[in-house]
Amino acid sequence: MIVHATRRGICVSLGAAFIAAGLAVVPALAQSGDPIKIGFSMALTGPLAPNGKQALLGAKIWEEEINAKGGLLGRKVELVNYDDQSNPANVPGIYTKLLEVDKVDVVMGPYGTNLNAPALPVVMQKGKTFIGFFALDINSEFRYPKYFSMLPTGPKPREAFTEGFFQTAAAQNPKPQTVALTSEDAEFARNACEGARENAKTFGFKIIYDKTFPPGTTDFSPVIRALQAADADLVVVCSYPLSSVGIVQSANELGLKPKMLGGAMVGLQATVFKDRLKSKLDGIVNYATWVPSPKLMAPAEQFFKVYQERAKAAGVDPLGYYLGGWGYADFQLLGEAIEGAKSVNDDKLAEYLRSHEFKTIMGDIKFGANGEWTKSGMLQVQYHGITDAANLETWRGMSYQTVLTPQDQKTGNVIYPYENAK
């Protein structure tokens, strides 16, 4: 297959105006030498674009701030990025170009499991350190020692997306007994669904339905009718954004009413999809990687003030709660590693990443086996009380969602069964 990578997706202009403004206000330290070039692709068009665009804005804000302080190792930082169009087939060509033509010093991962998976073999061939961005357990087979994951799933990454769902279900009285699994036939969903099977076993549930549906599915009524026919107590869905939206819409239209519904549905965290679904989200129990609770907002508050002001002009997710902060933290992590290692040499960077703990606006990070976090930071939340009058102010706070797990982040109790939240 011939892979075509275009320059159409270069987003250098996204933050140019405010970068210039920031440098005018904050005198930079003297910078010398060629810039440190950091290369990556990002989903700026296609179904993953609502998330990819906010991650890129977060990265651009980091680039502005670090250059205003004098860069890294006395050198300016330059982000070199291309639009992968949410298409895994574009990724190998882009990363080959970044390494062989653009000659970047460091490579970072694109957004999402399905996009990082084809990037890793290219990076491995070149012996580069690689920080995957929201990639679920893609290093479990390769065990590449220079891979590190920017995703708070912890030492059991596949189970982490649905562990809180099953933990919450197991605490109900009487305890539900049966589970139906439906998942998109793609890298992320397969991995998450494998974790859901393990969790079902761990928490003592019987799986009575376990089917996949193809990527690109637009009519989910057959999926929902099959789930209704299975009549399981719990329905766990593992899906990417457009499929998540389609399933929620179809579940509401056809009246699917298990005792709990949700699990590992990517996309529901983005403002654009919340606005599209509104009251249809009520009752769903789903994963989150971060929420604007007072505890989690404290170290990130200043970033989100900057992000939300600049998001208006940039035309991206106005809140940035799902990936804006993580996009910043991803490069904050890299910057700390470069400064700590005092080098962009891949072996030195990897050694420093393996042996140190890092503090970011999204939380503290320490890497363990396969480059995964030593401790999970995943949340399970339930949406509730949402009306079709919901607007940006609704999504800005915590009034419409409750953190159910983990215990140290919990903000309330589950509304059970699902029908009681409708």
Side-chain angles (χ1 to χ4, degrees), residues 146-366:
K146 298 179 194 175
Y147 173 83
F148 303 90
S149 176
M150 180 50 101
L151 179 66
T153 45
K156 295 182 177 180
R158 299 188 184 204
E159 290 92 327
F161 274 83
T162 56
E163 183 179 22
F165 182 98
F166 285 100
Q167 181 182 344
T168 300
Q172 303 312 303
N173 189 16
K175 178 186 172 183
Q177 298 298 311
T178 56
V179 183
L181 303 176
T182 187
S183 61
E184 195 162 350
D185 190 11
E187 187 90 12
F188 164 77
R190 285 195 296 267
N191 289 350
C193 202
E194 184 179 317
R197 293 185 193 103
E198 287 299 316
N199 285 327
K201 185 189 303 182
T202 298
F203 288 95
F205 294 100
K206 181 181 179 181
I207 298 173
I208 61 171
Y209 178 94
D210 189 348
K211 300 284 186 182
T212 63
F213 55 86
T217 297
T218 55
D219 179 9
F220 288 95
S221 54
V223 175
I224 299 303
R225 289 195 177 98
L227 291 169
Q228 286 175 317
D231 195 27
D233 295 327
L234 312 175
V235 171
V236 174
V237 182
C238 303
S239 52
Y240 253 26
L242 295 186
S243 298
S244 300
V245 171
I247 285 175
V248 172
Q249 289 175 324
S250 192
N252 277 266
E253 289 164 5
L254 298 177
L256 178 66
K257 293 179 180 178
K259 290 184 170 64
M260 283 177 59
L261 169 64
M265 304 177 77
V266 179
L268 305 188
Q269 305 83 2
T271 306
V272 63
F273 297 127
K274 287 187 172 82
D275 264 339
R276 187 183 304 180
L277 294 169
K278 296 192 177 183
S279 64
K280 294 182 177 70
L281 290 168
D282 283 334
I284 289 175
V285 175
N286 198 40
Y287 85 93
T289 55
W290 190 90
V291 294
S293 64
K295 184 175 182 178
L296 294 178
M297 179 59 87
E301 187 171 7
Q302 183 55 41
F303 165 79
F304 283 110
K305 285 181 181 176
V306 175
Y307 173 97
Q308 289 168 15
E309 182 59 36
R310 293 174 182 175
K312 299 173 186 175
V316 302
D317 188 296
L319 298 177
Y321 290 156
Y322 184 48
L323 278 190
W326 286 107
Y328 182 94
D330 194 31
F331 286 84
Q332 188 181 21
L333 167 70
L334 176 65
E336 288 184 28
I338 290 172
E339 289 285 7
K342 297 180 173 54
S343 176
V344 291
N345 174 275
D346 290 286
D347 292 333
K348 292 179 179 178
L349 275 179
E351 176 56 34
Y352 195 87
L353 284 161
R354 275 193 295 269
S355 58
H356 289 77
E357 185 170 353
F358 300 85
K359 292 190 178 297
T360 76
I361 62 167
M362 295 283 105
D364 297 346
I365 302 169
K366 187 168 179 55

Side-chain angles (χ1 to χ4, degrees), residues 16-37:
F18 60 77
I19 292 172
L23 291 174
V25 174
V26 183
L29 299 175
Q31 296 172 333
S32 61
D34 294 332
I36 295 174
K37 295 168 73 173

